[in-house]
Amino acid sequence: MKGYKGKILRVDLTSGEVLIEPLGDDVIEKFVGGKGLGYYLMYKEVPPGTDPFSPGNKLLFVPGALTGLISGSSKVIAVSKSPETRLISDSSGGDAFGPKLKGHFDAVIIEGRAEEPVYVHIYEGQAEIRDAGELWGKGVYEATNELWRKYPKASIAMIGKAGENRVRIANIVYDSERASGRGGLGAVMGSKNLKGVVVEPGEKPEVANREEYERLWKEYYDSYATDPKYEHTRNYGTTDGLRSSASLGMSPAYNFSRPYIPDELASKLAGDEVKKYEIEPEWFIHGKSCPIKCARYVEVEYKGRRIRVKPEYESIAMLGAAAGVFNFPAVAYFNHLANDLGLDSIAAGNVIGWFFELVERGLITEEEIGFKIEGFGDEEAEEKLLVLIAERKGIGAVLAEGVKRACEILGRGCEFAVHVKGLEAPAWDPRGRRTYALSYATADVGASHLRGWPRPHQLPNQGPAKELVPSLIEARDESYIFDMLGVCKFVPYKLDDLAKFYSIVTGREWSVEKLRRVAWAVESIARIHNALDWVTPPLDDVIPPRWWEPEPDGPAKGNAAFIDYNDFLEARREFYRLRGWHEELGVPLPETMERLGYPEFREDAERALEVVRERL
């Protein structure tokens, strides 16, 4: 099959052995690439019950099937068992790392644990493990720049102090500004004494129909780069998002207690305010193949420090609005600091917003904290907490565990800790969109805003959530397909377009329905593994108490995430039914795996059903 290298790199950090293994067309046909291939490899090699910090856990970097091959396809998917949720977790990162990796291998599997800090250097279709002793303890920016001086054409995946200290909300940062940000996968790297992965440019895989491929590439690139419909995205990127979420009653402001905030407040962290600080991006910011080029690059001065950073909506909203800070230079600085420390900006903003609410409610004392915190809007406290979390010092050692564990350790505040299965909620409150909370409740990784948005946009009290479940499933499959192919969700491809491109690249006929079937199977495989591990769907496919509180004001005033609890149960049951899962237990039925063409998972599906029954 064209479009692939047909090779997997395996790096054993314990033994120091580096192997290159074949990747057969039979596996590609069933799992495609990116998220699909990553989940299959994790399922096959990391048994349920594996400790995320043990040498037995594995970290995968898997470029998408079309990564680097079509406009706006730059994604690499990092996959591992999450230290936060103990689920198989995936998180995509953009720009150059994925396309460069695709020039060598279709996946990298890193296993074991090095005795001393190391990094992996990938070049000319091979790899070596190198000493990283001098890089350990350094921030992402400094360590990345040091390696760039040695490998000026490379792309670099790096962890900061948070990953080194096994902070459960640590991320992996690519080329200092992009990230696989969710699930604490940076802490997995830290647990393996792996500081970074350096990838030199390689040769793109061959495509089957070169002439048609080049014609379509130019046609789509020119269309997306000039169509007025995408002008707002080209101009602002995601940075105008807070105005949208706030106007819909879907913002995370003040730890999700005020999903609606007036436009004049939201505008302080959005669109035109961000553009005041915009500068020409560095060479590593805009993906060369992207027609949208939505990344914004800014320079701000904060407390005498001049910093440059690439802000996105999620980082702005969580480090800003969720913590009650509406000063863009401060929030941009926090974004830069989180990058340097290697912290998931979504999770960090969530846990700090929660902690500020704890302070506001008088549920924690200054003596317990170790210093004075005013509550929401305290910029000095937010800066201090980010550092303490990354260093696991003082109260930061508690917050470094993530919001679920932090509230349990402190024994308070769990009723307003906003997470699903231990993964902190991102910057979209579902009380402003009908059935959307079901996406969070059933997502494979926990609270993710990238697992399907139901259509059309309506408020929860406008009708039974069950009615929009089919659209949620369609959207979930679309999300999986984009992540398997390595395509950015902000580039407006339709699934027919992607199926056409994938067929031209591989030389085999791929339909939308065939891609959807793979997506459905991959989600079912993830569900089987998670059920065999610890997830009991009737108890764990739920939403946090905060989203059962009616919104206090704005266009969604009076709306909770569902009309009532029965509305939620009916919608969840419908989701399970349409997915071919047990309607009450939420586990894929053995016959569903047979029907999808994955009979090798039938026995595990049967076992998962029994395990969940026994737990209940």
Side-chain angles (χ1 to χ4, degrees), residues 257-370:
S257 66
R258 290 170 55 187
Y260 168 77
I261 52 175
D263 188 66
E264 57 267 26
L265 184 59
S267 294
K268 292 182 177 182
L269 295 180
D272 292 326
E273 180 65 22
V274 177
K275 287 198 78 67
K276 292 177 185 177
Y277 303 93
E278 191 171 336
I279 60 171
E280 189 66 24
E282 305 279 4
W283 60 272
F284 51 82
I285 297 296
H286 281 175
K288 290 181 180 178
S289 71
C290 185
I292 304 293
K293 290 184 170 59
C294 70
R296 310 265 62 88
Y297 196 56
V298 301
E299 182 178 86
V300 302
E301 187 170 332
Y302 181 70
K303 292 185 178 179
R305 309 177 185 97
R306 187 171 292 276
I307 62 99
R308 294 181 172 190
V309 72
K310 184 190 74 63
E312 298 283 357
Y313 164 67
E314 290 289 335
S315 300
I316 294 171
M318 297 308 297
L319 294 170
V325 174
F326 289 88
N327 172 12
F328 180 71
V331 174
Y333 170 69
F334 298 153
N335 194 167
H336 181 274
L337 183 58
N339 284 355
D340 196 43
L341 296 168
L343 283 170
D344 172 1
S345 58
I346 293 175
N350 180 305
V351 74
I352 289 172
W354 167 80
F355 196 63
F356 281 179
E357 183 167 350
L358 208 65
V359 172
E360 294 259 346
R361 290 170 174 254
L363 296 177
I364 192 165
T365 66
E366 185 178 333
E367 288 71 29
E368 288 177 282
I369 299 169

Side-chain angles (χ1 to χ4, degrees), residues 460-499:
N461 64 8
Q462 288 185 267
K466 176 180 177 179
E467 293 178 353
L468 301 190
V469 168
S471 73
L472 169 60
I473 289 174
E474 283 186 10
R476 176 156 299 174
D477 285 346
E478 289 167 13
S479 178
Y480 265 71
I481 290 167
F482 271 72
D483 285 342
M484 292 191 299
L485 297 178
V487 181
C488 176
K489 295 178 174 70
F490 289 104
V491 184
Y493 287 108
K494 293 181 171 57
L495 292 187
D496 284 332
D497 305 328
L498 294 177

Side-chain angles (χ1 to χ4, degrees), residues 38-352:
Y39 271 61
Y40 165 70
L41 293 171
M42 283 292 294
Y43 190 105
K44 189 174 73 164
E45 300 197 10
V46 180
T50 302
D51 183 339
F53 286 147
S54 73
N57 191 17
K58 303 190 181 187
L59 174 67
L60 280 56
F61 292 97
V62 193
L66 294 177
T67 292
L69 295 175
I70 68 172
S71 303
S73 61
S74 65
K75 299 297 184 181
V76 65
I77 313 296
V79 190
S80 189
K81 192 168 186 191
S82 164
E84 270 211 282
T85 64
R86 294 180 289 123
L87 306 172
I88 297 178
S89 191
D90 65 285
S91 189
S92 69
D95 251 329
F97 189 91
K100 288 179 181 175
L101 182 57
K102 183 80 171 174
H104 302 282
F105 302 104
D106 299 309
V108 175
I109 302 172
I110 299 174
E111 57 193 20
R113 183 187 183 198
E115 288 189 10
E116 301 294 336
V118 297
Y119 67 90
V120 174
H121 180 212
I122 298 172
Y123 64 100
E124 296 177 0
Q126 58 186 313
E128 293 182 5
I129 302 170
R130 302 186 184 275
D131 176 62
E134 293 185 358
L135 298 174
W136 202 258
K138 293 182 177 179
V140 165
Y141 289 105
E142 183 182 2
T144 301
N145 283 322
E146 283 197 22
L147 287 177
W148 264 333
R149 283 192 284 272
K150 194 170 184 178
Y151 311 106
K153 295 182 179 179
S155 188
I156 300 166
M158 185 66 68
I159 62 170
K161 290 181 180 179
E164 294 175 4
N165 293 322
R166 302 189 190 185
V167 171
R168 293 185 193 271
I169 58 173
N171 67 2
I172 302 168
V173 184
Y174 303 103
D175 296 341
S176 76
E177 293 291 344
R178 301 278 187 174
S180 286
R182 313 266 23 230
L185 304 190
V188 176
M189 283 182 67
S191 73
K192 296 184 176 300
N193 273 330
L194 179 64
K195 181 66 173 175
V197 179
V198 178
V199 182
E200 306 274 13
E203 289 188 20
K204 286 184 179 181
E206 291 181 40
V207 300
N209 188 337
R210 171 64 59 178
E211 186 177 339
E212 182 67 1
Y213 162 76
E214 290 180 350
R215 185 189 69 77
L216 276 180
W217 194 102
K218 186 175 188 311
E219 177 186 320
Y220 280 87
Y221 186 97
D222 291 347
S223 170
Y224 295 151
T226 59
D227 194 319
K229 281 192 297 188
Y230 314 123
E231 184 61 33
H232 187 274
T233 306
R234 289 195 295 265
N235 191 33
Y236 294 109
T238 65
T239 64
D240 206 32
L242 189 59
R243 295 184 66 219
S244 299
S245 66
S247 70
L248 296 167
M250 297 184 71
S251 92
Y254 304 98
N255 191 37
F256 298 88
S257 66
R258 290 170 55 187
Y260 168 77
I261 52 175
D263 188 66
E264 57 267 26
L265 184 59
S267 294
K268 292 182 177 182
L269 295 180
D272 292 326
E273 180 65 22
V274 177
K275 287 198 78 67
K276 292 177 185 177
Y277 303 93
E278 191 171 336
I279 60 171
E280 189 66 24
E282 305 279 4
W283 60 272
F284 51 82
I285 297 296
H286 281 175
K288 290 181 180 178
S289 71
C290 185
I292 304 293
K293 290 184 170 59
C294 70
R296 310 265 62 88
Y297 196 56
V298 301
E299 182 178 86
V300 302
E301 187 170 332
Y302 181 70
K303 292 185 178 179
R305 309 177 185 97
R306 187 171 292 276
I307 62 99
R308 294 181 172 190
V309 72
K310 184 190 74 63
E312 298 283 357
Y313 164 67
E314 290 289 335
S315 300
I316 294 171
M318 297 308 297
L319 294 170
V325 174
F326 289 88
N327 172 12
F328 180 71
V331 174
Y333 170 69
F334 298 153
N335 194 167
H336 181 274
L337 183 58
N339 284 355
D340 196 43
L341 296 168
L343 283 170
D344 172 1
S345 58
I346 293 175
N350 180 305
V351 74
I352 289 172

Side-chain angles (χ1 to χ4, degrees), residues 421-557:
K421 299 183 181 73
L423 187 68
E424 290 80 6
W428 293 94
D429 191 306
R431 289 174 287 178
R433 187 164 184 142
R434 182 181 173 199
T435 314
Y436 184 37
L438 187 67
S439 184
Y440 285 121
T442 60
D444 47 17
V445 297
S448 171
H449 60 297
L450 297 173
R451 295 299 186 272
W453 288 58
R455 296 182 288 263
H457 189 142
Q458 297 173 335
L459 292 173
N461 64 8
Q462 288 185 267
K466 176 180 177 179
E467 293 178 353
L468 301 190
V469 168
S471 73
L472 169 60
I473 289 174
E474 283 186 10
R476 176 156 299 174
D477 285 346
E478 289 167 13
S479 178
Y480 265 71
I481 290 167
F482 271 72
D483 285 342
M484 292 191 299
L485 297 178
V487 181
C488 176
K489 295 178 174 70
F490 289 104
V491 184
Y493 287 108
K494 293 181 171 57
L495 292 187
D496 284 332
D497 305 328
L498 294 177
K500 185 193 304 180
F501 260 120
Y502 192 42
S503 299
I504 289 168
V505 165
T506 60
R508 299 193 183 180
E509 193 60 36
W510 283 84
S511 65
V512 172
E513 285 313 305
K514 186 175 178 181
L515 288 170
R516 283 192 181 278
R517 192 164 62 250
V518 177
W520 183 357
V522 171
E523 180 173 27
S524 297
I525 289 163
R527 174 58 59 128
I528 292 168
H529 193 281
N530 291 340
L532 289 172
D533 199 318
W534 67 268
V535 173
T536 304
L539 305 180
D540 296 313
D541 282 359
V542 294
I543 59 172
R546 172 127 293 169
W547 291 342
W548 287 108
E549 301 170 8
E551 289 206 18
D553 48 28
K557 182 177 180 179

